Amino acid sequence: MTARSLADGAVLRPARPGDEPGILAMIEALARYEREPDAVENTAPMLTAALFGDEPRVFAHVVEHDGAIVGIAIWFVTYSTWTGTHGIWLEDLYVDERMRGRGHGRALMSALAAECVERGYRRFEWTVLDWNAPSIAFYRSIGAEPMSEWTTQRLSGERLAELAGR
């Protein structure tokens, strides 16, 4: 993907080295929005390693306005055994509250959909908190459908170590 100008003068582009502080600020703002203000353990150096290391396994698109990152889409590649193809998992989508309503979220989602189509991927998936009505409405407006029979499962911390035998 190449950089693309948006209607309000913002630019949508792939993340590049130097964006880490702005991306981290958006992640922290998302955590506050999702009522988990102390949950972020990520750091700018960790983002550098993840996004720009020797073998990146996570990617990001950003919206930049007047030199500041005001929106992010952080994603990674998945694989479906049923379709036999890859897909994109959107880990985080966030647009600064002051910049909402300008089409930045839709532009980020459109860019990831284009990544899927260009690469021959068959799925673009993510989760949303069940109380997040504005985001759910936005996702419905772009044609997303809920996977109502599926629930996300997670192992972490002590239970993860216990299952690993440690």
Side-chain angles (χ1 to χ4, degrees), residues 54-105:
D54 291 339
E55 293 183 37
R57 291 187 180 93
V58 65
F59 308 92
H61 285 63
V62 301
V63 173
E64 182 179 5
H65 189 268
D66 291 334
I69 292 176
V70 298
I72 58 168
I74 300 175
W75 58 278
F76 56 88
V77 175
T78 62
Y79 179 76
S80 168
T81 58
W82 289 12
T83 68
T85 62
H86 290 290
I88 285 179
W89 183 269
L90 175 62
E91 181 65 19
D92 284 331
L93 175 72
Y94 187 77
V95 174
D96 184 291
E97 290 182 36
R98 297 164 298 183
M99 301 301 287
R100 292 186 187 154
R102 300 178 184 210
H104 299 327

Side-chain angles (χ1 to χ4, degrees), residues 86-153:
H86 290 290
I88 285 179
W89 183 269
L90 175 62
E91 181 65 19
D92 284 331
L93 175 72
Y94 187 77
V95 174
D96 184 291
E97 290 182 36
R98 297 164 298 183
M99 301 301 287
R100 292 186 187 154
R102 300 178 184 210
H104 299 327
R106 179 177 279 275
L108 285 162
M109 296 296 280
S110 177
L112 294 188
E115 290 279 347
C116 285
V117 171
E118 289 167 13
R119 296 173 183 217
Y121 297 172
R122 304 249 316 262
R123 293 181 178 170
F124 176 20
E125 300 173 300
W126 62 91
T127 58
V128 61
L129 291 165
D130 58 9
W131 58 260
N132 193 345
S135 292
I136 292 168
F138 168 66
Y139 296 141
R140 294 300 167 273
S141 79
I142 63 171
E145 299 175 357
M147 301 292 295
S148 59
E149 295 179 2
W150 296 82
T151 60
T152 302
Q153 305 295 303

